[in-house]
Amino acid sequence: MTTPPINKIQTARRSWNDHTPPPQGQQPPALPPIPPGPLTSASIEDIINRLEHCRPYWPQVHEHRARIRRLLGHLRQLPGETWQDRWALFEGQVGHDALTWRLRIAGGSSKNTKNRNEVEGLNAAMGPLLALDVMRPSHRWLAGQRFAFWKALSRFRDPAHTAELENALVHAKASPAQATSGILTLGRIQAHTGKSIRQLTAEDILDLTTQLPGKLIDVSRSGLTAVWPVLHGLGWIRHDSGTMPTRLRVGPKTVDEMVDYYGITGPCREPLIRYLQVRSAGLDYASLCALGRYLAGLFFADIVKHDPDQRSFALTPEQAAGWKARVKVKADGSPRREVYSVFFSVRAFYLDISQWALEDAFWAQWVAPSPVTFAETRGYVKHRRATIATMQQRTRELAPVLPRLVEAAEQALRAAEATLADAKMAGAGQTIDMDGEAWEVFQSSEYAHVRIRRNGKDRDLSFEEDNAFWTWALVETLRHTGARIEEVLELVHMSIQPYKVPATGETIPLLHFAPSKTDTERLMVAGPELVHVLYRVLSRITKDTGSAPLTQRWDSAEKVLSSPLPHLFVRRRGAGPPNVMTTATVSTLLNDLARRAHIKVSGAEVRFTPHDFRRIFATEALASGLPPHIVQVLMGHASLATTQGYAAIYPRDVIRHHRTFIEKRRVIRPTEEYREPTAAEWDEFEAHFVQRKLSLGSCGRAYGTGCQHEHACLRCALLRPDPSQINRLQDIIDNLEERITEAEQHGWIGDAEGLRVTLNSAEMKLAQMFKLQSRQMPGAVDLGIPTVGRPNRHADPPKPDSQMS
């Protein structure tokens, strides 16, 4: 059997910050040769004569003639037919240092007072040579130089389009520093490619970021994040992404690349590839990558590493035992948590091959006994129970301290907003008082961030306020929805949809979640607090342009970019365009908040992950009496067992008896009990909340329960006060005070005592109303909500009462 060659593409696909050594047999491919320029074969005199063309942009070019002759004369002594060939050899000799090549040309071993002017003058002399495209240095060499003529080079080659780009950057409100850095970076790319600024392509720009190591280029500081969307908007570059792609955005790999990454070559390479190709039809990309890693990386690559002569999947008992012992432990000595996933994948691989061999003769030669027995996989049940118990214990610990985290987020936002407002009111050059210390306010430009400094220390108040706002918005959205973090980041302007209750005509906002983990769309009721948060988010992202910007979200699991959509959770990075937040950014914000809040449980500081909010949401929903199958729909779980696993506050015997009851009920009525809610059930669910409408607000008792306080709503802690009823409650308080005075005058001591209890409760409700009122945004809230159907897909959709233009 002929073994196909190793696919070398994978080596180039490795992430720039991946410091792990490549698999054996794979070496980084050599960079393609740089094509020569038009003057690469010209004589020195021809090049000197053309220097006059550079005079408008290098007024002192005549002073550099001698240095240019010396530089070209040194290159001419090197072997090669063209200036490009000689330069490539010269670059290899002197390396990428900014001083070494100049000392070689000047004929010295070090820079001193005698040759200082000559050494420094060679920097300026290099400008006309690169502008005339005599030679084209590599990106690596250009990155090591400190040339100041890149903007002159762009204007020399194409002054009209360079000016057009500069004006476009001003209209795009890019900061002067980012615009200048972007123009200079494009000049370096022009020097390497020999093109003008209008001829550059997206591939030319991305080539710069892929050829240089991470420590030599910072994409944000290079100005590319500001220049890329402007070039894309002008139509000069064509690319799927309207924002500058990061070097971590490597597209989906082919199955061949997944297997070849682990250096598997022998006859077993082809069946591994064909197996993954067959399984890929029923798996998403993330699951396929995990399966390829388990089979090719953790299993067969490990077998070949310890037995290079292995030519089949038939393992001896010693080989199987050794592999199972090694796979349970990581390289750093820690236990591997996904060991049972590896066992299941390997066992399924062997069983699938034996089954497929009955239908396809290709698989017959690869049939072998599975090294993983059924008994060895039974430990997964115990492992899963331990995992669930750990998650439930974590939920029990975090749920009581969640209000403290919420309060810390609100306080941080209020403090950051107040400090930023004080700095803006004071103005640049003035001082503001912070904790008894005077800080100077400064702002480099109209669009730059507001900063303060004191004793050499700087603080970016705009950045701090931005972090505080998005941290607060994320905490509120996660705790009120219980959504997965991917679903939250995929929320768009159209996700807020209205629903009119048929019985009362009241419009209820619904939040629409796009298909995520289970590929199932779902709707949930958005409470007043959640609507308030989303309105503030929408107001923030539309304050500059009046509309939500169209952005593309990078799906790190599927390795694809979404279509341009008006995402809600977007923020700017520096002076660049708005980008959808990443899960890493969310984790950083939550960790910073928890660290500042100093929340401790059992003496140790705790951290909140986005999924912790989801578990707490499900636990509280079940504890409040919401039926499990309703919670399952709200959470988007495919199985009711998954929802029950979130019930962290349930005692163990309650869970056991409840599961036993459900199992018996499943046998008796399997078709009626385990289904999606019908339209009638959903209407009954909504009617319950309609009946809880009160004059001072609404009742917060659990679903399906009656009033246990004899409708003494003013005293009840479950009354959710409505801030719009402050005047009504104030009238009630005044009336209570009059009645207390009357009771005391007539000696009705019992009535007076009861009225005081009611008065105390009323005053507490009034304080709550004032607090809620202070958090609300003034004026009417226009969310621009589009039309939507009923939450149940089997019911007829209601007629829309508004439509977004």
Side-chain angles (χ1 to χ4, degrees):
M1 179 182 298
T2 303
T3 303
I6 295 179
N7 191 337
K8 294 292 185 180
I9 299 179
Q10 173 57 29
T11 304
R13 300 177 69 96
R14 287 165 57 83
S15 174
W16 64 273
N17 62 351
D18 184 1
H19 301 296
T20 58
Q24 186 177 4
Q26 293 193 24
Q27 297 299 327
L31 296 177
I34 302 174
L39 296 181
T40 189
S41 300
S43 65
I44 294 180
E45 292 303 321
D46 289 341
I47 296 174
I48 295 297
N49 293 334
R50 288 178 178 265
L51 293 178
E52 290 298 322
H53 299 289
C54 302
R55 186 177 295 275
Y57 305 97
W58 279 270
Q60 299 177 348
V61 67
H62 62 281
E63 300 179 1
H64 304 312
R65 290 176 180 267
R67 297 188 181 95
I68 292 176
R69 287 182 182 275
R70 185 178 298 107
L71 194 155
L72 295 177
H74 183 87
L75 293 179
R76 189 171 54 182
Q77 299 176 6
L78 301 177
E81 298 181 358
T82 64
W83 294 114
Q84 184 64 41
D85 295 339
R86 301 180 187 114
W87 175 263
L89 182 60
F90 176 73
E91 190 176 311
Q93 292 176 350
V94 299
H96 309 127
D97 182 69
L99 181 62
T100 304
W101 71 272
R102 290 183 289 168
L103 292 176
R104 181 72 62 88
I105 300 297
S109 58
S110 62
K111 184 178 178 181
N112 51 55
T113 55
K114 294 182 179 180
N115 63 1
R116 178 178 180 179
N117 292 335
E118 185 67 19
V119 171
E120 293 180 352
L122 287 173
N123 264 351
M126 182 62 71
L129 289 179
L130 297 183
L132 292 172
D133 202 12
V134 177
M135 61 272 194
R136 300 174 180 176
S138 66
H139 281 309
R140 181 65 180 86
W141 186 84
L142 292 172
Q145 311 307 313
R146 295 183 178 180
F147 295 145
F149 51 72
W150 296 124
K151 187 174 292 188
L153 185 148
S154 296
R155 293 172 176 172
F156 169 78
R157 293 190 177 179
D158 194 343
H161 286 102
T162 301
E164 182 179 355
L165 176 60
E166 292 174 347
N167 293 332
L169 286 169
V170 174
H171 290 301
K173 297 182 178 180
S175 70
Q178 284 285 312
T180 302
S181 298
I183 295 294
L184 298 182
T185 303
L186 293 181
R188 288 166 50 185
I189 299 176
Q190 293 174 72
H192 172 75
T193 60
K195 299 179 179 180
S196 67
I197 200 167
R198 179 62 181 87
Q199 296 171 334
L200 294 179
T201 64
E203 290 71 21
D204 294 330
I205 300 176
L206 295 176
D207 185 55
L208 170 69
T209 64
T210 55
Q211 288 194 20
L212 294 181
K215 63 182 180 180
L216 289 183
I217 180 171
D218 186 327
V219 175
S220 60
R221 292 185 178 181
S222 68
L224 292 179
T225 55
V227 170
W228 180 283
V230 174
L231 294 175
H232 194 276
L234 292 173
W236 295 3
I237 60 175
R238 297 182 180 274
H239 196 269
D240 295 337
S241 174
T243 58
M244 179 66 190
T246 66
R247 287 185 283 190
L248 295 178
R249 292 184 182 177
V250 179
K253 305 174 186 176
T254 65
V255 171
D256 300 59
E257 293 172 352
M258 292 181 188
V259 175
D260 291 338
Y261 179 80
Y262 299 101
I264 299 176
T265 55
C268 294
R269 174 183 179 273
E270 183 178 356
L272 281 173
I273 292 176
R274 291 188 60 174
Y275 178 81
L276 292 175
Q277 288 174 341
V278 175
R279 290 292 308 275
S280 64
L283 299 175
D284 56 51
Y285 179 74
S287 301
L288 180 64
C289 287
L291 181 61
R293 174 174 171 266
Y294 294 157
L295 294 181
L298 295 180
F299 173 58
F300 199 73
D302 183 81
I303 296 296
V304 174
K305 178 182 178 180
H306 292 82
D307 191 356
D309 297 331
Q310 184 68 27
R311 312 293 290 178
S312 69
F313 297 115
L315 305 182
T316 64
E318 292 76 13
Q319 285 178 312
W323 168 75
K324 284 182 283 190
R326 292 189 299 270
V327 79
K328 292 180 180 179
V329 182
K330 294 182 179 180
D332 58 1
S334 60
R336 191 182 302 278
R337 294 194 302 175
E338 72 272 25
V339 62
Y340 285 103
S341 299
V342 180
F343 283 174
F344 280 123
S345 300
V346 172
R347 180 170 173 80
F349 172 71
Y350 279 87
L351 296 181
D352 287 341
I353 288 179
S354 62
Q355 180 66 30
W356 296 351
L358 301 176
E359 303 174 359
D360 188 350
F362 169 81
W363 299 104
Q365 58 182 320
W366 304 107
V367 175
S370 172
V372 181
T373 63
F374 174 73
E376 290 172 321
T377 61
R378 296 184 66 181
Y380 172 76
V381 177
K382 180 180 179 181
H383 173 76
R384 179 60 181 168
R385 289 175 179 171
T387 302
I388 293 177
T390 302
M391 292 190 303
Q392 291 180 348
Q393 179 61 26
R394 177 176 175 83
T395 303
R396 295 188 191 98
E397 294 176 349
L398 295 182
V401 299
L402 178 59
R404 295 173 55 188
L405 185 76
V406 174
E407 182 64 23
E410 294 177 351
Q411 291 179 356
L413 177 58
R414 289 194 296 267
E417 290 176 339
T419 304
L420 180 60
D422 293 343
K424 288 183 176 180
M425 183 177 297
Q430 303 300 318
T431 59
I432 61 173
D433 181 76
M434 291 185 60
D435 300 328
E437 298 177 344
W439 290 73
E440 180 188 359
V441 181
F442 68 97
Q443 189 176 14
S444 58
S445 66
E446 178 183 359
Y447 304 108
H449 285 190
V450 178
R451 299 171 180 269
I452 56 176
R453 65 161 62 101
R454 182 179 185 273
N455 297 334
K457 296 182 179 179
D458 289 353
R459 288 180 56 181
D460 190 336
L461 298 184
S462 298
F463 181 73
E464 291 179 4
E465 188 272 341
D466 193 61
N467 273 354
F469 174 82
W470 288 115
T471 303
W472 168 80
L474 285 167
V475 169
E476 292 294 313
T477 305
L478 288 170
R479 78 183 185 95
H480 284 302
T481 62
R484 303 177 181 91
I485 184 58
E486 294 82 5
E487 296 172 336
V488 171
L489 297 180
E490 290 174 356
L491 289 176
V492 296
H493 186 193
M494 295 84 72
S495 297
I496 310 171
Q497 303 180 355
Y499 171 68
K500 181 177 291 185
V501 180
T504 63
E506 180 184 3
T507 300
I508 299 177
L510 299 178
L511 197 60
H512 171 264
F513 292 102
S516 180
K517 184 176 181 180
T518 58
D519 292 333
T520 303
E521 297 184 4
R522 69 183 192 277
L523 293 167
M524 71 176 301
V525 178
E529 296 89 351
L530 180 59
V531 172
H532 169 69
V533 173
L534 296 180
Y535 168 69
R536 290 197 60 181
V537 169
L538 187 59
S539 300
R540 190 179 189 88
I541 65 177
T542 59
K543 66 180 180 180
D544 292 334
T545 61
S547 60
L550 297 179
T551 53
Q552 295 175 284
R553 179 179 179 268
W554 172 253
D555 191 333
S556 58
E558 297 298 322
K559 307 298 182 184
V560 294
L561 273 173
S562 70
S563 302
L565 294 171
H567 291 96
L568 294 180
F569 286 87
V570 296
R571 62 185 304 191
R572 294 182 180 273
R573 183 176 56 184
N579 293 296
V580 183
M581 292 186 192
T582 63
T583 54
T585 300
V586 175
S587 298
T588 300
L589 293 177
L590 294 179
N591 288 338
D592 290 343
L593 174 62
R595 184 174 60 254
R596 293 194 304 269
H598 300 292
I599 300 176
K600 293 186 177 182
V601 175
S602 301
E605 289 193 357
V606 296
R607 295 288 185 268
F608 281 80
T609 67
H611 216 71
D612 288 330
F613 295 92
R614 181 171 171 83
R615 296 192 185 101
I616 294 174
F617 176 87
T619 299
E620 293 180 347
L622 290 172
S624 65
L626 199 63
H629 65 286
I630 297 293
V631 179
Q632 177 189 353
V633 175
L634 294 178
M635 299 292 292
H637 287 152
S639 171
L640 185 62
T642 305
T643 306
Q644 291 175 333
Y646 279 67
I649 63 172
Y650 283 2
R652 184 176 303 176
D653 56 340
V654 174
I655 297 177
R656 182 173 63 255
H657 292 310
H658 186 215
R659 288 180 175 174
T660 303
F661 166 72
I662 290 180
E663 291 176 359
K664 293 180 179 179
R665 188 171 62 180
R666 183 183 294 115
V667 175
I668 300 174
R669 297 186 297 269
T671 59
E672 294 296 328
E673 296 295 336
Y674 291 88
R675 51 176 171 74
E676 294 184 358
T678 64
E681 290 176 334
W682 192 268
D683 291 339
E684 180 185 357
F685 172 71
E686 294 173 345
H688 169 80
F689 296 98
V690 174
Q691 295 171 358
R692 296 191 301 179
K693 185 65 176 177
L694 304 172
S695 61
L696 295 177
S698 61
C699 178
R701 66 179 184 271
Y703 170 76
T705 61
C707 180
Q708 300 178 3
H709 305 90
E710 299 180 356
H711 298 282
C713 300
L714 199 56
R715 298 185 180 184
C716 183
L718 296 179
L719 173 64
R720 295 178 177 175
D722 184 359
S724 63
Q725 302 299 324
I726 288 179
N727 294 334
R728 178 187 296 272
L729 183 55
Q730 188 64 57
D731 293 339
I732 294 176
I733 292 176
D734 295 340
N735 179 262
L736 287 173
E737 292 175 346
E738 294 175 358
R739 293 175 61 188
I740 291 174
T741 302
E742 180 184 7
E744 290 176 344
Q745 291 176 353
H746 291 81
W748 302 333
I749 306 302
D751 288 343
E753 183 177 357
L755 290 172
R756 288 194 186 94
V757 174
T758 304
L759 178 62
N760 292 335
S761 299
E763 290 175 344
M764 292 176 60
K765 297 295 187 299
L766 184 63
Q768 294 177 16
M769 287 183 176
F770 280 117
K771 182 178 180 180
L772 291 173
Q773 187 183 48
S774 64
R775 294 169 52 184
Q776 292 183 349
M777 299 291 291
V781 177
D782 182 11
L783 296 179
I785 302 177
T787 59
V788 65
R790 295 172 64 88
N792 193 295
R793 62 182 180 182
H794 301 293
D796 295 330
K799 295 181 179 180
D801 60 337
S802 65
Q803 187 170 358
M804 185 179 68
S805 59

